[in-house]
Amino acid sequence: MTDRTNTPGPRADMVRNRRLLLGAATAAFAERGVEVSMGEIAQRAGVAKGTVFRHFASKEDLLAAITLQMLDQLIHAADSLLEADDAAEALREFMTAGVEVLAADRAFCEVIGRPSLQHAEVREAIDRLCDAAEALTARAREQGAIRSDITGTDVVLLLGGIHQTAAPLLAAQPQAWRRYLELALDGLSAPGTGALPHRPPHRLHLTDTALP
């Protein structure tokens, strides 16, 4: 009789294939953007093209899964900093981590505003990211480390703005974004200044395209 105790079952194979597909797709999209074909992703993952569509009905579903991973990474970064004694340094670390994610992944900015954001899990993750950023920002406001009218939504939007500002330089100067991050942080912490002349934005919605 054949010993089947160590033979992966169908569910184990599905979990493995999904992990391979997400890894291959994340790498391909990060390098070349969202125009990479599903066939190329299957080839990178070492599976048949039909396997891709058994896990993800469309490219939008695959993009949604990857976007969710990236958002969860940012949320985890924010949550891990909430107990830091120095709220200004915690905000700096969060914003640094956020722009690093964007600078390393070409596809992330490209997917914002696409139908992938209609996925309930992605919408919920965007809300959680805004909540986490607001918690960090509120602590920095309370400690007098940043302007009194800065919000978490301001911070989340600035992540994308910093990345987009440095984007034309990234090929030749991949760390150029750090200069613009420092400029943004300097503006956030401007001492002795009054409120900005324009009202802060509302919470982000799916129609907003300036997310990171």
Side-chain angles (χ1 to χ4, degrees), residues 14-30 41-42 44-47 51-52 55-56 58-70 105:
M14 289 183 64
V15 171
R16 172 181 172 275
N17 287 340
R18 182 181 177 87
R19 183 174 66 250
L20 289 172
L21 286 168
L22 283 172
T26 299
F29 290 145
I41 291 167
R44 281 192 180 218
V47 301
T51 301
V52 183
H55 288 270
F56 305 100
S58 67
K59 182 184 282 189
E60 296 299 341
D61 288 337
L62 179 54
L63 286 170
I66 293 172
T67 300
L68 186 60
Q69 285 184 334
M70 296 174 186
D105 199 301

Side-chain angles (χ1 to χ4, degrees), residues 62-82:
L62 179 54
L63 286 170
I66 293 172
T67 300
L68 186 60
Q69 285 184 334
M70 296 174 186
L71 290 168
D72 283 342
Q73 184 178 344
L74 293 178
I75 293 163
H76 177 74
D79 288 343
S80 68
L81 292 165
L82 281 174

Side-chain angles (χ1 to χ4, degrees), residues 162-201:
I162 293 163
H163 172 261
Q164 292 294 348
T165 298
L169 306 173
L170 289 180
Q173 302 177 57
Q175 299 298 309
W177 60 268
R178 294 184 183 276
R179 173 180 175 83
Y180 301 102
L181 173 61
E182 291 300 327
L183 285 172
L185 288 166
D186 188 63
L188 292 178
S189 63
T193 53
L196 292 166
H198 303 288
R199 295 169 59 187

Side-chain angles (χ1 to χ4, degrees), residues 120-137:
E121 287 183 310
V122 176
R123 294 199 306 269
E124 189 269 339
I126 290 172
D127 283 340
R128 287 191 290 120
L129 176 61
C130 289
D131 288 341
E134 179 56 39
L136 283 176
T137 306

Side-chain angles (χ1 to χ4, degrees), residues 77-98:
D79 288 343
S80 68
L81 292 165
L82 281 174
E83 300 303 319
D85 292 333
D86 188 333
E89 183 58 29
L91 188 60
R92 173 187 290 273
E93 288 186 32
F94 168 68
M95 293 183 70
T96 300

